[in-house]
Amino acid sequence: MTDNFYPLTCDDDLLLIDKDTFTVARFKEFVMYSLKDKIYNDRSFSSDPRFKILFNTLNNYNYIIDDKVTIKLTQSCWSNVSEFVECKLFRLTSGKGWISGKLIIKSTVNLFPKDYKNFTYDPKSPSYPKSEIDMELQFCPDEPELLETSDSALDELRQQLQIYQ
């Protein structure tokens, strides 16, 4: 598989996955809801005290080199790329119809937004920082897309060339 994935930036474009059709915007909403649900509501994930201790540890982590130099972390995040899913994309601006290809989801969870720098876990308090989540859908067509040269533009050029003969 080639690595020709590009971001889906037009929220009105359509995705056909199996028998379901979504606008890009709506599919992003479903993905974001799923990510947030897993991070904040999954009992095995969010209620585990070890998870909160991990937040605390990552947020206050330092690299200590030769017991002389201390370098603090400025960001703790988790990045993920999903497996690809076969789908079809209908780009409203292209007029080419459905394009078969693969879709991936790239997400980054910033565990400690700037508002929570130096957060310290308190075992008596159930609260912990709300992470920032960035997500992007990317698409790779099965067949390379041709340059944006339309038949009508070529016909116009042919007519112009005939005028000068």
Side-chain angles (χ1 to χ4, degrees):
M1 182 174 84
T2 60
D3 211 13
N4 295 329
F5 283 90
Y6 58 85
L8 296 180
T9 55
C10 181
D11 287 342
D12 294 328
D13 287 346
L14 300 175
L15 288 169
L16 176 63
I17 302 172
D18 293 326
K19 296 178 182 177
D20 297 312
T21 306
F22 308 90
T23 63
V24 168
R26 189 69 174 140
F27 192 78
K28 285 179 182 178
E29 287 176 19
F30 285 132
V31 171
M32 188 63 79
Y33 175 80
S34 178
L35 281 169
K36 287 180 179 180
D37 187 53
K38 184 67 177 166
I39 291 171
Y40 301 127
N41 299 327
D42 187 326
R43 296 287 177 221
S44 62
F45 189 70
S46 64
S47 64
D48 189 339
R50 293 175 293 180
F51 178 71
K52 295 174 186 173
I53 292 169
L54 174 66
F55 260 43
N56 187 53
T57 302
L58 286 174
N59 197 35
N60 295 303
Y61 188 80
N62 298 314
Y63 293 102
I64 301 174
I65 294 130
D66 197 25
D67 291 327
K68 297 176 185 168
V69 179
T70 302
I71 302 172
K72 287 187 164 246
L73 281 181
T74 59
Q75 184 179 14
S76 297
C77 65
W78 166 67
S79 293
N80 180 32
V81 178
S82 70
E83 292 182 350
F84 68 82
V85 61
E86 296 287 339
C87 70
K88 291 184 179 183
L89 174 68
F90 188 88
R91 298 178 73 188
L92 297 177
T93 56
S94 74
K96 294 181 183 178
W98 290 100
I99 303 167
S100 294
K102 295 163 185 58
L103 178 73
I104 59 172
I105 303 165
K106 288 189 170 188
S107 58
T108 302
V109 179
N110 183 1
L111 298 174
F112 301 103
K114 290 180 183 180
D115 296 346
Y116 289 102
K117 289 297 173 193
N118 301 318
F119 169 81
T120 303
Y121 172 67
D122 179 3
K124 297 175 186 172
S125 170
S127 66
Y128 56 94
K130 290 287 186 184
S131 303
E132 291 175 348
I133 303 172
D134 292 316
M135 184 263 309
E136 178 179 74
L137 300 180
Q138 292 191 359
F139 180 78
C140 177
D142 288 340
E143 295 184 19
E145 295 185 57
L146 300 175
L147 295 175
E148 294 292 324
T149 305
S150 68
D151 288 338
S152 61
L154 289 175
D155 289 340
E156 185 178 320
L157 181 60
R158 287 183 192 112
Q159 286 177 354
Q160 288 175 355
L161 290 174
Q162 286 179 352
I163 292 173
Y164 297 112
Q165 290 180 354

